[in-house]
Amino acid sequence: MPTNVPQEHYVESQSIYKRQRTIVYMGKSEEGLSNESNLGNILGSVGAISQPIVWISLCFVATTCGGLPAGPFGLLGALEGLAYLSVVGLVIKRIFIRDKASGILETAENLSLLTLGASLLVLASLIAQQGCIPNAKPLLDYSNYVKVCNAEEVPGLFGG
């Protein structure tokens, strides 16, 4: 039997006059359900792994007004960018797609909401203390419109 054909699940009832068979559920096969579960587990795992990377980056942003250093061949910076994208993606999924997640995907979505709140607090803290916001020059240079924090002027993580 092909796996993409919905399976019918019946309830049979019998009365004095007739016997009837009623469809109570028509859904995907067990394999289709397990594939959706596997995708949710993968998305949740990636989201959960991304959270500490974003938290460390937020600590760097709060203390040095810049994210993580680029690292060898720019790999650390790329990992940081992908982690931010996964957090934003999970927040968007949570807000706009109303299906109920469970397990590690639900945990990753909840952590992503918490991380988004923390990043807004870090941004508000930078604006309140220094009157500037970090610049994302590779993506968008908005230094003509608002005051941008200059990472060279701010002491490093250990005061250097």
Side-chain angles (χ1 to χ4, degrees), residues 60-135:
F60 271 77
V61 169
T63 56
T64 67
C65 295
L68 295 174
F73 306 109
L75 293 176
L76 191 56
L79 184 64
E80 175 188 18
L82 292 173
Y84 272 104
L85 288 175
S86 70
V87 168
V88 170
L90 285 172
V91 168
I92 289 171
K93 181 192 176 305
R94 176 67 178 256
I95 292 173
F96 293 113
I97 300 174
R98 294 290 181 177
D99 63 341
K100 179 68 176 156
S102 62
I104 192 163
L105 181 58
E106 180 183 23
T107 304
E109 287 177 356
N110 291 337
L111 284 173
S112 294
L113 287 172
L114 182 69
T115 301
L116 179 67
S119 63
L120 292 175
L121 287 174
V122 167
L123 180 64
S125 169
L126 280 176
I127 293 172
Q129 291 176 358
Q130 299 175 7
C132 61
I133 59 173
N135 196 2

Side-chain angles (χ1 to χ4, degrees), residues 8-25:
E8 297 175 346
H9 302 275
Y10 297 98
V11 171
E12 293 186 9
S13 61
Q14 184 174 352
S15 66
I16 299 173
Y17 302 108
K18 65 179 178 177
R19 182 177 177 186
Q20 98 183 40
R21 192 174 180 188
T22 307
I23 298 176
V24 291
Y25 171 73

